[in-house]
Amino acid sequence: MAAVNPKKSGAKNNAGSFLEVGRDGYWFYGLSHVGEYVNNTGLMWQLGEKMGALLVFAEHRCEPQSHPMFNGGCPRCVSYCTTAQALEDYATIISHLREKQAQRPPAIVFGGSYGGMLAGWMRMKYPEVVDGAIAASAPIWQLSTTVTRETVDWPAVAISRGLSSAGGSSDQCLANLQVAWPLLRGLNTPSALKLLSGHLNTCKPLETVESLISWASASFFLLAEGNYPYPSSYITYAVASGSPLPAWPMREACRSLSRDFGIHVSGSRKDVNYTAKLGDLEVTVDWTYWSSNGGDLTEEQLKASGILDLATAVTKAAGVWYNVSGGQSCWNIIQAEKQPKHAGHDDPQYGKGHEAGSCSKCPPCADCPACPVSRCAGDDTPCNFTGQVPKTFAWDTIVCNDDLSQISAQGLGRDLYWPPSVSSRNFTIASMVGPHELVKASCTEQFDSMGLRGAPVTSDPWSGWMTAYYGGRNVSQHRNIVWSNGALDPWSGMGVYPVGGGPDGPMVQRINSDGSQIALVLDLGAHHLDLMFPDKRDPPCAPAAREIESQMIQQWCQEAYSKQEPLYS
């Protein structure tokens, strides 16, 4: 944990020792990788200096420097990493900081991404401890019980927004990508794959064209997260090499795709029912069904069709992510494997993750939500972990322990992807998730292999405990929360909005009638852009959002002071 008074630190990137409490209370940011977030939370530094606040950065339990339970012979050590326990840590720290104060100073929590989820939940669960929350890019509505049929593809829609004129790119870019995937599917014969591998300069010959499609399409989620108006290593630090992405990387990806390749489309892209032609190459699409004449074309016909130029453009676009360091001499495309079957009611393993009777007391009743990690938490063998905790360990453990389901769909006619990730146009959330039954947990064996015990052996795909504990979509009774989202960020599709609101709505959307809880949308914002240090290259929405947040924070602090009696007399 680090705390600093920004007026005395002398540098915006310095997280020094504890200093005195500022006049307007504490600013508290609770998430992993203290160094990374200290350096990427400019809003706290800027407002902290303006208001004379103490900034506190506390590392999440089970992160690289905060996991004493892992190597001390503690039994069931993994079970101590839950959202409820993390929030209790933060509440304890704030209470400790207040002990020597004559008057209760306000505490404001900040967080981005999972930290934004924690910030929002902190205000919801501990309103007597924290006075307000800036919950940026906080996808708390990604659960099976909170996502809806209307919102389930919003993450994919947000990614696509960055590839269109709405995100500063071109609509031609998005239109080309939408039909590139089925057109490329037609190049799946040995001769076509050999031609494609040579033309694209892949490190190894492609075994299936699906390998290329999966590899390329996966890049756009990551580029969308890091679609900042300046070069940034914020996203690449977490999941890749750490080399900075270029400014507006989605626009950069669209450079190769923003031209007319000669593709002719008839039918309805919106209904995912169309025919696309490129030279002699033709593909017919009807939802997940497709047929192509690619296998009947000669090498000369394929070359003349223009499909190789389109494949090059798609690969170059994906290369903005995969070759961010600039050191790739060929494309290392991982061969696609068959996807594991999603457990469902017709799966013989469904609901059979443990021996009968081993969890007889949990849940305690037929209608009770599934218990949190304490349910069936393995054996009592002491943990003997001696390795280094990965960057994303706490998040991965939280997803496992708390059954944090992440439900989304793509390819439904409103985004760049194909084929649809659901098999029928008449899908429901229930058909995607499956029955309300416990299933075998997928994370236990991985933790056991690391010498970490206590992970649950069962999982609840319907996130019953999280829904019961945090209230699901029922947030209207809470006050003093800003749920900010960048409309270009995939996670914005799982954020909190009022009924009828969303990422494509106005900048300020009231969740409460009195405006004490709002959704704040940055139309050209990527992953919690509003929390970053101000930059002259910021789009207008960024300083506007920060000003709104600043005004609300000052109001929260004033309200807290006006109603407080001396803490100790």
Side-chain angles (χ1 to χ4, degrees), residues 115 263 292 421-422 436 512:
I263 302 171
S292 172
S421 59
V422 291
H436 289 262
N512 291 357

Side-chain angles (χ1 to χ4, degrees), residues 144 342-345 350 428-437 439 461-462:
S144 307
H342 176 70
H345 62 275
Y350 200 92
T428 63
I429 301 302
S431 69
M432 293 177 63
V433 180
H436 289 262
E437 299 174 6
V439 300
W462 282 95

Side-chain angles (χ1 to χ4, degrees), residues 1-5 14-20 54-55:
M1 182 176 69
V4 61
N5 184 317
N14 174 38
S17 60
F18 279 100
L19 299 173
E20 78 269 14
L54 176 71
L55 310 186

